[in-house]
Amino acid sequence: MKLMKYALLLAGFSIATPSLAACKYSLDKKYSELKWTGYKTPKKAPVSGTVEDIKLSPGLPKASALEALDGLEFSINLASASSGDKVRDTRIAKLLFKDADQVVGRYVKSDKTHLYFDITTNKVTKSVALAYEIKDTKLSASGYLDLLDFSLQKNLKVFAEACKGRHEGKSWTDVKTDLKLKFYKTCK
């Protein structure tokens, strides 16, 4: 009789207690948001925009969102940069990125505060670190690139000359990037 009560108690406990589900995270390759901010004028006035054409090739589902970045490769069409100003957008595409219209990259690793990517444009590959935060299924990362690191000196000079009036004679080489990604979370 005691054995039967014990068995019923265990059975009730196992029904009432939810099982610990094994969840997997995978990158939503249809969602990405990349905002950029360049700078002009001696006072370093910001000019922001987005990149519309980004293609993600994610890796396999993993046990955490951070691990789901393993195997991530991407391409960015710089001609799709949009600032809301057609004249500026044309100058960015035709002058600044005329020889470097494509960025390709891959996720390399992470630590507690940064994601590391190898990024290639204009036949130059550089490692770039972005500070990141993951909340549930959303990742936000930001950092800076220097156009000179990608051998864009000549392009920048032509671009700066074309924008001399609007930029009050000063075009900066650093560009802030803000990246947002989403993950699918599937639990069994």
Side-chain angles (χ1 to χ4, degrees), residues 21-177:
C23 297
K24 294 283 186 179
Y25 292 81
S26 56
L27 194 60
D28 178 353
K29 69 179 183 178
K30 293 181 182 175
Y31 177 85
S32 61
E33 185 179 307
L34 181 61
K35 180 181 171 189
W36 54 265
T37 302
Y39 302 95
K40 65 180 186 174
T41 77
K43 292 185 179 181
K44 206 171 186 179
V47 176
S48 296
T50 59
V51 178
E52 305 299 323
D53 186 4
I54 302 170
K55 296 199 177 16
L56 302 175
S57 298
L60 298 172
K62 301 287 176 126
S64 73
L66 191 58
E67 290 175 14
L69 292 174
D70 288 343
L72 171 64
E73 294 182 352
F74 58 88
S75 64
I76 300 168
N77 178 355
L78 294 175
S80 72
S82 174
S83 68
D85 180 324
K86 288 188 185 268
V87 171
R88 179 187 301 126
D89 295 346
T90 299
R91 287 179 177 170
I92 289 170
K94 302 287 185 198
L95 301 176
L96 187 57
F97 295 123
K98 72 175 187 161
D99 302 320
D101 61 346
Q102 184 86 353
V103 172
V104 294
R106 69 180 185 85
Y107 168 77
V108 177
K109 66 179 182 174
S110 64
D111 58 29
K112 290 182 181 182
T113 59
H114 289 85
L115 304 174
Y116 298 89
F117 296 91
D118 281 345
I119 295 179
T120 303
T121 192
N122 199 31
K123 301 177 186 170
V124 177
T125 301
K126 292 289 180 181
S127 180
V128 175
L130 301 179
Y132 76 95
E133 177 178 62
I134 296 177
K135 288 188 177 178
D136 192 32
T137 59
K138 295 179 182 174
L139 178 141
S140 301
S142 63
Y144 289 86
L145 305 172
D146 190 319
L147 297 174
L148 301 181
D149 287 345
F150 296 95
S151 297
L152 291 169
Q153 293 88 333
K154 289 179 186 176
N155 294 22
L156 184 61
K157 185 176 180 179
V158 172
F159 175 76
E161 185 60 36
C163 301
K164 192 173 188 177
R166 285 180 152 187
H167 290 202
E168 298 174 17
K170 179 66 177 171
S171 298
W172 297 80
T173 65
D174 53 328
V175 177
K176 183 175 189 283
T177 59

